[in-house]
Amino acid sequence: MGNRVAARAPDFVPALLENLAAYGNLGLATKVDSMFRVVLEPLRDRMTEDERNTLDWYWARGHGDPLLETRVAEEGFRTTPSIEGFDAGVTAFGTRRMADALVRFLAWDRDAPCNRDWRPWWTFTANTYHMLGRYDEERALAAEGLRRFPDLQPLVDHEVAAAAAEGRLAEVDSLLDFVMALPPDSLYDRNMRPVWAALELRAHGYEEAAEPLFARGLEAFNDPDAPFYRPNRGRALYYARRWSDADTAFESLLAAPPEEQGPSPNILEWRAFQAKALAELGRRDEALALAASLDTVRNGRGVRQNL
């Protein structure tokens, strides 16, 4: 949509900002940089204050400047909390200011005509409740969101996470059975769901209960008829503390041709996972060498510019 609008009105800033965000979320760093420098910066003097703030917020997020990002986000939140609350909440969440994030998310007008279908608000706010240990409110929000968006599967994951955090093991198993039986969703790799639940159990001291869920997730990756996002298998092996298998999985992934690496390959992250697996195996020199190589791809093809 943004491309069609921009083609008809190449100086219409709202459409250009939407394109900027879309390119960033797709990991198209060259497109993002071109949009900033060639298309949007020359229009800065014609922008509204809100549009300039939005541009600066995107710039700060894409270029790793949390101080600028926070300053711009807070300025927008002070002036129009019902409009800028979501972006300010995302920034606060990203800098681990969870109480601030919740205040900002809740100030955003989720029922405004342009906002009522914005699904990320529901998952971000549920995440914030979870990080604050407010599991009853996390579950309540997930239930409300599922009434509005019955197909928004990550909200069921929040019900799983809340149950796991409180050690309600039978409920975790029941919810996982339910969510794993849902129709495939191209946006989410269902095989990771038992792994996330296992990590939640482990984080809250339920180590013994976590092991069968790690095994369940890894078994799901062995199903040749179940498509999955290939890097997730490496992550699952790493989280299950199968260090040698994780090393092999990421080594294979990094050596694979681009068409087999999946969309938006994140070379930097994969090397980091492999380096950590090598460190756990006691292969210190290899881990250090791999870690040192991360700088060579920090600004390359493997780095996503999530906006």
Side-chain angles (χ1 to χ4, degrees), residues 43 190 256:
L43 299 175
R190 72 172 67 192

Side-chain angles (χ1 to χ4, degrees), residues 126 129-130 134-147 155-156 158-168 171 175:
Y129 276 130
H130 189 84
R134 294 167 62 169
Y135 305 123
D136 287 343
E137 289 157 292
E138 178 186 15
R139 279 195 299 273
L141 185 76
E144 181 185 353
L146 285 167
R147 287 193 292 271
L155 291 180
V156 185
H158 278 286
E159 294 182 326
V160 176
E166 295 180 333
R168 291 180 281 110
E171 187 175 346
L175 285 167

Side-chain angles (χ1 to χ4, degrees), residues 24-156:
N25 289 329
L26 289 170
L28 301 175
T30 302
K31 285 277 194 181
V32 169
D33 192 62
S34 177
M35 286 287 293
F36 274 128
R37 299 177 187 279
V38 179
V39 180
L40 284 159
E41 275 299 327
L43 299 175
R44 178 178 285 274
D45 290 342
R46 297 172 52 186
M47 294 180 188
T48 66
E49 184 177 354
D50 283 346
E51 288 169 345
R52 283 193 292 272
N53 279 347
T54 299
L55 179 62
D56 289 340
W57 186 77
Y58 285 150
W59 173 271
R61 284 182 66 75
H63 290 79
D65 188 342
L67 294 178
L68 174 60
E69 181 186 343
T70 299
R71 179 179 65 75
V72 173
E74 290 301 299
E75 183 177 334
F77 180 70
R78 283 193 299 271
T79 56
T80 51
S82 64
I83 297 173
E84 301 296 337
F86 178 77
D87 287 353
V90 169
T91 294
F93 188 96
T95 53
R96 299 299 184 261
R97 296 180 290 117
M98 295 302 164
D100 289 344
L102 185 60
V103 169
R104 284 145 183 75
F105 285 136
L106 294 180
W108 190 70
D109 186 359
R110 67 188 185 190
D111 293 315
C114 291
N115 298 345
R116 63 169 62 108
D117 292 327
W118 184 239
R119 298 179 176 208
W121 180 88
W122 296 86
T123 52
F124 264 106
T125 306
N127 271 331
T128 307
Y129 276 130
H130 189 84
M131 296 300 290
L132 290 168
R134 294 167 62 169
Y135 305 123
D136 287 343
E137 289 157 292
E138 178 186 15
R139 279 195 299 273
L141 185 76
E144 181 185 353
L146 285 167
R147 287 193 292 271
R148 185 177 295 203
F149 308 109
D151 61 335
L152 188 52
Q153 295 187 17
L155 291 180
V156 185

